[in-house]
Amino acid sequence: MIAVYGTNFCTSARNAFSLLMRNIIRVVVLDKVTDFLLFLGKLLIVGGVGVLAFFFFTHRIKLVEDTAPTLNYYWVPILTVLVGSYLIAHGFLSVFGMCVDTLFLCFCEWPPRDPHPI
């Protein structure tokens, strides 16, 4: 709202809040759908990286079999990779969540009102 109308923060926050309250059903539905899709994205990323880490550390990938270290307990690095991949996926997908929220606010504001009525 600051970028669209050039008003100060407090005025823009009040206008955005009233705009979202006028569209509360849309806000709730979009928020739940977005949260579910981002959760599925995180699950897919962490699951894929976890499977690859498991195959890598158990020497089941023939292409990189020589570079994989020989480990007695391979679950420790796999769990470390899983936690790291979750944190990275969460960081990247939170940017997409913020983009969805911004686009939704622009959708609710369309058509734009005149910031300086005569």
Side-chain angles (χ1 to χ4, degrees), residues 34-97:
T34 303
D35 286 345
F36 179 69
L37 290 176
L38 292 179
F39 172 74
L40 287 180
K42 290 176 193 176
L43 195 65
L44 182 69
I45 291 169
V46 172
V49 170
V51 167
L52 284 175
F54 175 77
F55 285 143
F56 177 77
F57 287 117
T58 57
H59 299 278
R60 295 187 183 171
I61 301 175
K62 299 296 181 194
L63 186 64
V64 291
E65 189 174 23
D66 298 334
T67 61
T70 304
L71 301 171
N72 293 328
Y73 302 105
Y74 55 85
W75 288 108
V76 174
I78 290 174
L79 290 176
T80 305
V81 167
L82 286 175
V83 170
S85 66
Y86 174 78
L87 292 175
I88 292 170
H90 178 72
F92 275 94
L93 290 177
S94 66
V95 174
F96 288 110

Side-chain angles (χ1 to χ4, degrees), residues 30 98-109:
L30 181 78
M98 189 182 308
C99 291
V100 168
D101 293 341
T102 304
L103 289 173
F104 178 69
L105 193 63
C106 292
F107 168 77
C108 288
E109 187 61 24

